[in-house]
Amino acid sequence: MFKLSGTPEERLKVANDFKNALLALPAKIDVLQSMEVGVNSNPNEDWDVVLTAIVGDMNEVDIYAKHPDHVAAASIVSKAKVARACVDYEF
């Protein structure tokens, strides 16, 4: 999850740009099986973006995280990011 800074309009623009970049990643990163991205619609909540990325195993999390296309997508939120929360788990 990502919490962004700025006006509601600025946060929404960054969130949607980030979402679009993330949704393009499964076609570019072989280990990425699927990607789901949600942009917050509730103004009473503090977090702006949530994503779920599915990979085969924990080793592939590292491959995904270091992939240049993922790094480029992450740079979209870098200046606006106030906080990030992450859980990596196996199922």
Side-chain angles (χ1 to χ4, degrees):
M1 292 189 315
F2 294 84
K3 187 183 296 189
L4 306 176
S5 64
T7 66
E9 294 80 15
E10 291 168 337
R11 291 173 28 223
L12 182 60
K13 171 143 180 32
V14 171
N16 281 321
D17 289 348
F18 186 43
K19 176 182 178 177
N20 292 333
L22 290 171
L23 291 177
L25 294 180
K28 299 176 180 182
I29 303 175
D30 291 339
V31 300
L32 188 53
Q33 297 172 11
S34 67
M35 172 73 71
E36 183 178 317
V37 183
V39 174
N40 182 38
S41 300
N42 184 345
N44 295 318
E45 296 298 335
D46 294 328
W47 294 88
D48 297 287
V49 182
V50 63
L51 72 95
T52 302
I54 305 294
V55 297
D57 60 40
M58 292 306 290
N59 292 328
E60 291 179 355
V61 171
D62 192 52
I63 294 167
Y64 157 69
K66 293 178 180 176
H67 193 282
D69 289 311
H70 174 260
V71 172
S75 73
I76 293 170
V77 296
S78 64
K79 290 184 181 178
K81 180 176 62 177
V82 173
R84 174 182 172 268
C86 179
V87 176
D88 292 328
Y89 63 92
E90 296 183 85
F91 58 94

